[in-house]
Amino acid sequence: MFKAVSLIIGWIADRILGDPEWLPHPIVAFGRVIAFGERKLNKGQRRCQKGAALTIVLTACTFMFFTLILSLCDDVICIVLEAVCIFYCLAGTTLVREVKSVFAAVNVSVEQGRTQVSRIVGRDTSELSAQEIRLAALETLAENLSDGVVAPLFWLVVLGVPGMMTYKMINTLDSMIGYRTRRFRRFGMFAARLDDVVNWVPARLTALLMLLVSVVITPMSRSRFMSIWHDILMFSKAHLSPNSGWPEAALASILACRFGGPHIYHGEMISKPYIGRYNREITSKDLIVAIKLNRYVELVVIVLLLLFSV
């Protein structure tokens, strides 16, 4: 079980600092270990088994390491370490800042927008239009609300700080080797499926919270509420991922826009189903609504966790 004071300190630190580039980040260390393992193992025969072995070893070691470290600390040090881990695991503030920067950059020029959005998406951005840049940023913001905020906090409740850090390892594995490209399709299969499992509940919870919070941000009729819920249920199933479609469908339905379509990843064209009904121009007003959704959902989850920890 986590300590309420650790959650408060970690959350406030994230709201103030985000992820400053000058501060060493454990997720960067996770990424380096994963990249090293991938270079050594992703070749020859039995790539599926090798990828699964790497995923299992790194996941188990992460949970055991943080469990051991926290068990050896006294209460004060434990609070500090928990707060630091929570701060590192939350990615709400950083993505909001990055998405704001994308919209600001693309308003200056498409080329600047492409450069800025390349910092937060895995697709090839060299040919994206201004509309596609804004959509890519909002799509990433929606997905990040689930795997960068709600999911880490969900696993904090279930397995404490070790569970939260382990979730981040799994999520990092998926973001690095979980692609359906020729290079990673077999090697990253297990990591991608494990990521699907740990995000199953958080993704659906995120979509539900986004819908409920949207009523406060943009008052709507009962018929509009039910229409959005119906669209979330329908379009979430169209996504290639069993989870990513939920927050993306929620944001697309609330904003009345459309995500998805064909994109280039690691040199290969990947066709994503369209999420949402309306292919309309995205504006800065949509960004304001999306950020409010993120912030309010995050606040609701934090309050619920604090009540849970009492």
Side-chain angles (χ1 to χ4, degrees):
M1 175 62 68
F2 64 94
K3 298 173 181 63
V5 66
S6 301
L7 175 59
I8 294 172
I9 295 172
W11 177 61
I12 292 175
D14 177 66
R15 290 300 298 267
I16 295 173
L17 298 175
D19 289 326
E21 294 183 2
W22 53 266
L23 191 64
H25 203 297
I27 307 305
V28 175
F30 288 177
R32 288 174 179 170
V33 173
I34 294 166
F36 176 81
E38 190 271 335
R39 288 195 303 270
K40 294 294 183 181
L41 298 175
N42 190 15
K43 53 189 175 182
Q45 302 297 316
R46 299 187 176 182
R47 296 194 186 191
C48 289
Q49 293 89 332
K50 291 177 182 177
L54 178 67
T55 300
I56 292 170
V57 169
L58 292 182
T59 300
C61 287
T62 302
F63 185 82
M64 290 187 293
F65 174 79
F66 284 98
T67 299
L68 177 62
I69 291 297
L70 291 172
S71 68
L72 296 176
C73 297
D74 59 30
D75 288 344
V76 175
I77 300 299
C78 188
I79 288 173
V80 173
L81 287 179
E82 285 187 346
V84 170
C85 288
I86 291 169
F87 160 66
Y88 277 130
C89 285
L90 293 178
T93 298
T94 298
L95 251 295
V96 167
R97 290 176 182 172
E98 289 287 348
V99 171
K100 283 182 177 179
S101 296
V102 169
F103 272 68
V106 77
N107 288 338
V108 175
S109 72
V110 174
E111 194 58 43
Q112 287 190 34
R114 290 169 179 166
T115 300
Q116 193 66 35
V117 79
S118 67
R119 291 164 51 93
I120 60 173
V121 300
R123 71 192 64 169
D124 183 352
T125 63
S126 62
E127 301 296 328
L128 295 183
S129 66
Q131 168 75 348
E132 290 171 330
I133 291 169
R134 295 186 181 97
L135 285 171
L138 291 181
E139 185 179 332
T140 301
L141 185 65
E143 188 174 351
N144 179 77
L145 179 58
S146 177
D147 60 27
V149 177
V150 177
L153 293 174
F154 173 83
W155 286 105
L156 177 65
V157 173
V158 176
L159 293 173
V161 169
M164 191 184 205
M165 295 302 297
T166 302
Y167 168 79
K168 294 302 291 186
M169 171 59 83
I170 294 171
N171 193 241
T172 307
L173 279 159
D174 178 65
S175 66
M176 292 185 65
I177 65 173
Y179 293 99
R180 302 187 182 191
T181 59
R182 186 177 298 106
R183 175 177 176 179
F184 296 115
R185 185 176 291 113
R186 295 174 60 200
F187 187 77
M189 182 184 302
F190 186 84
R193 297 292 78 78
L194 182 60
D195 187 74
D196 290 341
V197 171
V198 298
N199 278 298
W200 198 92
V201 173
R204 287 150 183 79
L205 178 60
T206 301
L208 177 59
L209 289 173
M210 290 173 75
L211 175 59
L212 296 176
V213 165
S214 70
V215 176
V216 178
I217 296 175
T218 56
M220 61 185 71
S221 64
R222 183 176 182 276
S223 61
R224 169 66 176 154
F225 180 90
M226 295 307 298
S227 175
I228 292 176
W229 179 239
H230 175 269
D231 284 352
I232 291 173
L233 294 176
M234 178 175 65
F235 287 110
S236 61
K237 297 176 183 177
H239 201 284
L240 294 174
S241 163
N243 299 316
S244 298
W246 286 86
E248 290 180 21
L251 186 58
S253 301
I254 292 166
L255 295 181
C257 66
R258 188 175 74 176
F259 299 133
H263 301 295
I264 298 175
Y265 291 86
H266 299 284
E268 293 186 34
M269 179 66 74
I270 304 294
S271 294
K272 289 187 174 182
Y274 286 106
I275 305 294
R277 294 181 181 276
Y278 307 102
N279 183 23
R280 66 170 184 82
E281 195 70 21
I282 294 297
T283 69
S284 296
K285 291 182 179 180
D286 298 304
L287 174 63
I288 293 172
V289 173
I291 290 175
K292 283 184 177 180
L293 273 173
N294 270 54
R295 289 307 196 192
Y296 286 14
V297 168
E298 182 177 349
L299 181 59
V300 168
V301 176
I302 291 293
V303 171
L304 290 175
L305 262 62
L306 291 175
L307 293 174
F308 175 83
S309 66
V310 173

